[in-house]
Amino acid sequence: MENKDLIIDMHGIYKRFYIGQPNELEILKGIDLQVYRGEFLSIVGASGSGKSTLMNIIGALDRPTEGNYILDGVPMGQVPDDLLSDIRNSKIGFVFQTFNLIPRTSALSNVELPMLYAGVPRGLRTRRAKWLLEQVEMGERMRHQPSELSGGQKQRVAIARAMANDPAIILADEPTGALDTATGRLVMDLFHRLHQQGKTIVLITHNPELAVETERIITISDGRVIREEEGEGVHV
């Protein structure tokens, strides 16, 4: 594929903490990572391997200490801090293990929130939020609050929220980690459907059974990429 098809292009990514202090830590040690538009890729590694730190940099939640990162054509090193949240909100949809839904707020309002931040008019964002909830089979529960939903239902609302601003990338961090096997299967099937619709999905997981369902598997250990292999790219 040509470079124009790259949606994530990372070269020489290092991340250090406590720089210049006796307890300085180097978590990422020269990561190169390329993800193509429309790809379903997984990043796997044991706890402490650096995958969460890498996820934070991919998601523009943190910056690398060294290295270059181009996200959907935008050189992230040139983006000022006050615009990073705008980039996140428009380019990336996040799905977390802990759902991160706002309590005492309806599923509909949770899905509307990213569009509110993006300045989408009220009527339009409500219509899109309802449509997205219907896509994840949560249309009948859109008025329910997170406390009234099961774990799997919360995660489906979170996926609808991740899609709110039609992001270039869905970044999913252990999205089935808090779910039972059957519910986790439903969530993975939903990711496969979104991928078939053309979404780029990056799955962060420690579960090799989930990783093998993606098209490509990147394994990191001790802050380095140690293996890259094809997955089975299971479709539903």
Side-chain angles (χ1 to χ4, degrees), residues 37-61:
R37 193 176 306 278
E39 187 173 17
F40 192 174
L41 172 135
S42 54
I43 298 173
V44 300
S47 178
S49 62
K51 66 181 188 295
S52 293
T53 301
L54 179 60
M55 186 212 75
N56 286 340
I57 293 174
I58 292 172
L61 297 166

Side-chain angles (χ1 to χ4, degrees), residues 52-156:
S52 293
T53 301
L54 179 60
M55 186 212 75
N56 286 340
I57 293 174
I58 292 172
L61 297 166
D62 200 0
R63 293 184 183 272
T65 308
E66 289 180 35
N68 295 311
Y69 176 24
I70 297 175
L71 170 62
D72 196 20
V74 177
M76 297 303 290
Q78 299 175 18
V79 176
D81 289 345
D82 59 350
L83 292 182
L84 270 184
S85 61
D86 292 340
I87 294 287
R88 281 197 301 272
N89 202 34
S90 64
K91 299 283 187 186
I92 299 174
F94 294 93
V95 181
F96 297 100
Q97 177 176 340
T98 51
F99 319 125
N100 285 19
L101 299 177
I102 298 173
R104 295 182 295 282
T105 303
S106 70
L108 183 65
S109 294
N110 267 281
V111 177
E112 283 189 52
L113 192 61
M115 292 182 278
L116 176 64
Y117 290 148
V120 176
R122 183 174 182 176
L124 181 58
R125 68 176 184 255
T126 300
R127 286 194 300 275
R128 178 163 172 80
K130 288 179 177 178
W131 179 80
L132 286 167
L133 285 166
E134 288 164 0
Q135 298 305 299
V136 298
E137 299 177 5
M138 286 296 292
E140 294 182 358
R141 310 213 67 172
M142 66 176 63
R143 303 293 177 187
H144 289 65
Q145 297 181 10
S147 61
E148 301 171 305
L149 302 175
S150 69
Q153 290 170 335
K154 290 177 187 176
Q155 196 61 294
R156 281 187 276 165

